[in-house]
């Protein structure tokens, strides 16, 4: 989809991208980095709108330096900032943008109706956009990026300004852009944890440099975590501690309660451990039974990406 | 590249309940806004687009048409139609009166020539321009819509060319339609076909020059003033102040019998520049004090200045968009 090769972008006072090399495959890819990490700069270069200082990049096999026009015909872009005129309706606006992408008038109208429906805008699409909520505006912005049926969309901070519900809806929609529409997605966020359920692959950049690029499944599955909650008994007033001790002796890799372990309600009763394979479940069951503890729950959790990265980047990316 | 076009329902290794299930999202997403009956519509799957992609040239034409219509409030709210239509009517009614007067007075020619009419109506044209240019150029900058254009095959040059052409065309229509009314009226009143046709043709050339220059100036100002109202004020000032200043200086020159100075001073404002051009080259009467016309040298300078101004303002306009990136 995208191949980035030793790409640098230097502004007079800052280096926005610093010899970045990364490949991006079809699917949903999250591009994560703190504010100023160079995410938006990278998107502008990928659209062929801003020349790189050095290095090269191709999008859909086309060179960003020489084939920008052809790239932009088959790529959609959703900017991070507001970009909607308030006195125009979503329908009129998206039809116009479809025509700007080269769609004939009739096709532009049909695609607009389809696309607005797919992003979840119904009757309100005929009203001026000035009266829309942030969530609705974000949907129109997404619709104009999808209306010409691109092969790839570049979404710059699509969840910015949304409340938690709106954010989840937007993330679900982004997932659908790939799973249902078959369009690959590069989506940016300055929040590390946000894209993990949405993305197949995560690229983390910091200060214009690549920090990490790996498949989401890769590190979330590799580090599948089992959380176990047990009751306390008279013999074991701290059931969790007793279980922890028993499991440690059985050779299970336990997670030490984190620094925030005490904060979450009931966290003290939780024993978390790496579920390397199926036998761990039996070990836990046997250990709990041996101690006479009641098993309240035993659930599999995925590691949060942020936890995976905390050791590496000392939390400054999140 | 084809594998990515296949809907990949199973690629999500971490489908969370209520998160990635197709169909489920739309219902929660439309909560409150959508009625029950729409569930059926929801389930129409995504259809790709296999039809033609008409590219830059088409997009440029579509943008031109949209901006031209927009300059008359067409395709916009009813409220936005009021001012341009009112001004357009104000432009046309006196033209009809000119014809009526010629008919009733049984005169051999129209009392006002074609190009002269445009110059006389400059205040109205100025107001129209001050409304239309920000509409075409400021809004996309104010609401930051330009990145959406530039993320498409359209280049910055295409965008500027289409918008500038549209504003020029709008201004041309605004000035040429009253002339057409005068011409048709003159023919109906049997005022001499050959003479009227020649003058009308010259009038149209004048309208085109007038529109090209004024659209370039107003477009540049509008592109520099994204904020509401600023462009309107700046354009009115830019068009009227130099004109009145130059006219006043010409008046002083006339009273002191410096008649060649009148000609030279006229280069100083778009309005007087165009006045000189039409009286020298397009057979119109001079609007300068003492009906002063230009000598050959002045004529040449006027043309050079006209071309230079056009080149200058269109270049400045283009430069403005080189900066206005994403
Ligand atoms: N046009 C520009 N001129 C100068 N510096 C810029 C420009 N655009 C971005 N930058 C700088 O480049 C860095 C990366 O910016 P950006 O790509 O917008 O980051 P992000 O989108 O990750 O927040 C920032 O330090 C920013 O100030
Ligand atoms: Mg950014």
């Amino acid at each position: 989809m995208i191949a980035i090769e030793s790409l640098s972008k230097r502004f007079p006072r800052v280096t926005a991208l610093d010899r970045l090399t990364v490949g991006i495959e079809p699917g949903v890819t999250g591009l994560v980095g703190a504010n100023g990490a160079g995410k938006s700069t990278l998107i502008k270069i990928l659209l062929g709108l801003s020349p790189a200082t050095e290095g090269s990049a191709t999008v859909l096999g086309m060179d960003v330096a020489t084939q920008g026009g052809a790239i932009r015909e088959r790529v959609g872009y959703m900017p991070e900032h507001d970009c909607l005129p308030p006195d125009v309706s979503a329908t009129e606006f998206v039809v116009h943008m479809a025509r700007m992408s080269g769609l004939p008038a009739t096709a532009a109208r049909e695609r607009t109706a389809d696309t607005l429906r797919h992003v979840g805008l119904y009757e309100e699409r005929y009203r001026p956009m000035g009266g829309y909520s942030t969530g609705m505006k974000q949907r129109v912005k997404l619709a104009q990026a999808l209306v010409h049926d691109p092969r790839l969309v570049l979404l710059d901070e699509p969840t910015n300004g949304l409340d938690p519900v709106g954010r989840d809806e937007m993330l679900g929609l982004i997932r659908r852009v790939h799973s249902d529409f078959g369009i690959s997605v590069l989506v940016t966020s300055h929040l590390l944890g946000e894209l993990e359920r949405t993305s197949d692959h995560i690229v983390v950049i910091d200060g214009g440099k690549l920090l990490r690029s790996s498949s989401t499944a890769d590190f979330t599955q590799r580090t599948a975590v089992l959380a176990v909650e047990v009751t306390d008994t008279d013999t074991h007033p701290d059931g969790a501690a007793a279980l922890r001790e028993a499991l440690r002796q059985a050779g299970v890799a336990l997670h030490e309660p984190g620094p925030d372990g005490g904060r979450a309600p009931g966290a003290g009763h939780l024993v978390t451990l790496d579920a390397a394979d199926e036998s761990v479940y039996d070990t836990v069951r046997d250990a709990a039974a041996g101690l006479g503890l009641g098993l309240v729950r035993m659930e599999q959790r995925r590691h949060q990406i942020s936890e995976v990265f905390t050791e590496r980047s000392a939390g400054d990316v999140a | 590249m084809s594998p990515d076009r296949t809907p990949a329902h199973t690629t999500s290794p971490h489908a969370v309940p209520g998160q990635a299930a197709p169909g489920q999202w739309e219902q929660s997403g439309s909560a409150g806004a959508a009625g029950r009956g729409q569930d059926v519509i929801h389930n129409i799957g995504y259809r790709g687009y296999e039809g033609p992609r008409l590219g830059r040239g088409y997009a440029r034409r579509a943008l031109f048409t949209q901006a031209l219509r927009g300059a008359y409030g067409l395709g916009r709210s009813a409220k936005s139609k009021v001012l341009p239509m009112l001004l357009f009517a104000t432009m046309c009614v006196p033209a009809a009166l000119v014809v009526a007067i010629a008919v009733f007075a049984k005169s051999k020619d129209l009392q006002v020539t074609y190009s002269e009419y445009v110059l006389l109506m400059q205040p109205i044209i100025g107001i129209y321009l001050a409304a239309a240019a920000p509409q075409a150029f400021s809004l996309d900058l104010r609401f930051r819509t330009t990145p959406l254009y530039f993320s498409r095959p359209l280049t910055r040059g295409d965008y500027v060319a289409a918008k500038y052409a549209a504003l020029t065309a709008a201004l041309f229509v605004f000035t040429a339609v009253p002339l057409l009314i005068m011409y048709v009226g003159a023919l109906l009143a049997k005022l001499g076909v050959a003479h009227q046709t020649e003058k009308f043709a010259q009038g149209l050339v004048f309208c085109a020059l007038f529109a090209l220059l004024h659209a370039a100036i107003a477009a540049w100002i509008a592109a520099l003033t994204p904020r509401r109202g600023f462009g309107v004020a700046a354009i009115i000032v830019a068009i009227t102040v130099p004109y009145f200043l130059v006219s006043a200086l010409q008046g002083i020159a006339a009273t002191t019998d410096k008649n060649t100075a009148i000609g030279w001073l006229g280069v100083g404002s778009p309005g007087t520049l165009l006045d000189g051009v039409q009286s020298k080259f397009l057979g119109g009467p001079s609007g300068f004090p003492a009906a002063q016309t230009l000598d050959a040298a002045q004529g040449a300078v006027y043309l050079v200045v006209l071309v230079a101004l056009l080149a200058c303002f269109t270049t400045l306009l283009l430069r403005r968009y080189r900066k206005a990136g994403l």
Side-chain angles (χ1 to χ4, degrees):
Chain A
M1 276 275 117
I2 302 177
I4 297 164
E5 191 57 48
S6 191
L7 196 71
S8 295
K9 177 76 184 183
R10 278 187 278 278
F11 294 109
R13 313 196 59 178
V14 270
T15 299
L17 292 174
D18 194 0
R19 277 159 299 170
L20 184 68
T21 300
V22 66
I24 289 168
E25 298 301 313
V28 180
T29 303
L31 175 63
V32 180
N35 285 326
K39 305 179 296 292
S40 302
T41 303
L42 179 60
I43 286 184
K44 284 168 213 170
I45 294 175
L46 294 178
L47 285 167
L49 294 170
S50 164
T53 315
E54 58 184 41
S56 61
T58 61
V59 175
L60 305 171
M62 295 177 276
D63 187 345
V64 296
T66 55
Q67 292 171 284
I71 291 172
R72 292 192 297 273
E73 191 167 283
R74 304 311 301 269
V75 171
Y77 167 62
M78 172 176 173
E80 59 186 318
H81 53 73
D82 282 344
C83 56
L84 306 177
D87 60 346
V88 180
S89 75
T91 297
E92 290 170 81
F93 183 71
V94 178
V95 167
H96 179 59
M97 283 302 152
R99 301 191 68 194
M100 292 300 105
S101 287
L103 268 59
T106 319
R109 275 193 296 277
E110 285 170 10
R111 288 280 317 164
T112 297
D114 274 10
T115 312
L116 286 175
R117 179 166 48 75
H118 280 299
V119 301
L121 270 176
Y122 303 96
E123 285 89 41
E124 55 270 41
R125 68 181 186 269
Y126 301 113
R127 293 206 310 263
M129 295 187 287
Y132 286 11
S133 67
T134 310
M136 284 156 72
K137 285 180 183 162
Q138 291 300 83
R139 284 164 201 228
V140 180
K141 282 166 61 178
L142 180 62
Q144 67 77 33
L146 294 171
V147 71
H148 55 298
D149 189 29
R151 280 156 70 180
L152 167 72
V153 278
L154 309 176
L155 311 178
D156 204 353
E157 310 241 5
T159 58
N160 229 355
L162 296 176
D163 60 20
V165 174
R167 175 179 304 240
D168 279 351
E169 287 177 352
M170 178 53 73
L171 290 171
L173 185 50
I174 290 168
R175 187 68 229 165
R176 290 209 323 136
V177 167
H178 177 59
S179 64
D180 293 9
F181 307 174
I183 298 170
S184 287
V185 179
L186 178 67
V187 51
T188 77
S189 175
H190 61 278
L191 299 171
L192 198 42
E194 176 174 274
L195 295 175
E196 61 183 4
R197 282 178 304 173
T198 314
S199 307
D200 304 316
H201 198 96
I202 300 271
V203 174
V204 184
I205 61 172
D206 191 33
K209 288 193 173 72
L210 182 68
L211 214 57
R212 178 155 182 180
S213 165
S214 47
S215 124
T216 322
D218 220 26
F219 49 79
T220 51
Q221 278 177 357
R222 194 176 57 220
T223 57
V225 170
L226 200 60
V228 185
E229 187 179 348
V230 288
T231 54
D232 298 334
T233 60
D234 289 340
T235 25
H236 301 289
D238 186 349
L243 180 65
R244 214 173 269 132
E245 186 50 38
L247 289 174
R248 190 172 292 127
Q249 277 168 16
V252 174
L254 293 177
H255 289 209
E256 292 311 315
D260 61 344
R263 263 196 276 134
H269 292 281
L270 275 182
V271 178
T272 50
L273 47 101
D274 279 349
D277 56 60
E278 300 286 302
S279 69
V280 171
Y281 294 83
D282 297 338
T283 314
V284 170
R285 184 199 55 205
D286 296 345
L291 294 165
L293 302 171
L295 259 180
V296 179
R297 65 186 159 120
M298 184 150 82
E299 63 181 22
Q300 199 177 1
R301 278 190 190 169
R302 283 178 305 107
H303 232 318
Q304 302 283 302
I305 289 173
S306 43
E307 295 171 41
V308 176
F309 281 113
T310 11
E311 309 109 54
R312 296 179 156 264
S313 53
D316 58 354
V317 183
Chain B
M1 291 287 87
S2 59
D4 62 285
R5 298 299 301 159
T6 326
H9 291 274
T10 52
T11 47
S12 171
H14 11 266
V16 176
Q19 181 70 31
Q24 213 160 341
W25 185 86
E26 283 198 336
Q27 275 151 38
S28 65
S30 62
R36 290 287 89 186
Q38 288 187 329
D39 287 10
V40 186
I41 309 173
H42 283 175
N43 294 328
I44 300 175
Y46 182 81
R47 288 177 297 178
Y49 176 72
E50 304 300 335
R53 292 171 194 268
L54 303 175
R56 274 173 63 192
Y58 165 82
R60 218 165 32 208
R61 284 194 301 281
L63 182 57
F64 169 83
T65 314
Q66 190 245 14
L68 176 56
R69 287 167 47 86
Y72 285 92
L74 302 173
R76 295 170 55 214
S77 66
K79 212 176 64 186
S80 339
K81 293 183 180 67
V82 175
L83 183 67
M85 291 306 177
L86 219 61
L87 290 172
F88 190 52
T90 313
M91 234 0 233
C92 293
V93 169
L97 289 179
V98 169
V99 174
I101 289 166
V103 170
F104 283 115
K106 296 194 170 41
S107 55
K108 291 210 183 63
D109 199 355
L110 299 173
Q111 297 303 302
V112 182
T113 59
Y114 296 95
S115 51
E116 193 185 4
Y117 184 81
V118 174
L119 289 166
L120 282 172
M121 297 302 277
Q122 280 189 93
I124 304 296
I125 304 171
I127 298 172
Y128 175 71
L129 191 59
Q135 158 68 28
F137 285 89
S138 305
L139 293 187
D140 286 345
L141 292 166
R142 185 185 314 153
F143 301 117
R144 304 179 75 186
T145 316
T146 42
L148 299 188
Y149 288 99
F150 301 152
S151 67
R152 293 178 150 75
L154 215 68
T155 65
R156 286 148 211 243
D158 292 332
Y159 175 89
V160 170
K163 290 269 191 175
Y164 171 56
L167 187 60
T168 304
L171 210 52
F172 180 79
V173 168
F174 195 76
T175 50
V177 167
L179 301 201
L180 183 66
I181 294 173
M182 287 164 64
Y183 177 61
V184 170
L187 292 190
L188 292 176
K190 303 202 167 34
L191 292 186
V193 179
H195 175 71
Q196 291 300 327
T197 305
E198 186 198 352
K199 292 287 167 195
F200 176 57
Q202 289 172 329
L204 290 185
V205 172
F206 181 68
C207 287
L209 292 178
F210 187 97
L212 279 168
L213 181 59
H214 281 82
I217 297 171
W220 178 64
I221 296 173
L224 286 183
T225 49
R227 288 179 63 186
R228 185 187 297 279
F230 280 50
V232 177
I235 290 167
I236 292 198
V237 168
I239 286 177
T240 53
V241 169
Y243 182 76
F244 286 124
L245 216 65
V246 168
S247 299
L249 290 175
Q250 283 178 324
I252 294 168
T255 56
T256 52
D257 277 344
K258 297 200 174 60
N259 280 356
T260 42
I262 295 176
W264 291 120
L265 283 167
V267 228
S269 89
T272 48
L273 179 77
L274 287 164
D275 196 335
V277 168
Q278 63 91 30
S279 67
K280 179 74 183 166
F281 301 103
L282 295 170
S286 171
F288 289 169
Q292 181 69 29
T293 50
L294 308 179
D295 57 36
Q298 288 174 331
V301 168
Y302 269 57
L303 285 185
V304 169
V305 170
L306 178 60
V307 171
L309 283 179
L310 273 174
C312 166
F313 281 105
T314 47
T315 308
L316 285 173
L317 181 63
L318 212 53
R319 284 259 304 269
R320 167 73 179 94
Y321 282 88
R322 203 145 292 155
K323 288 275 169 220
L326 289 190

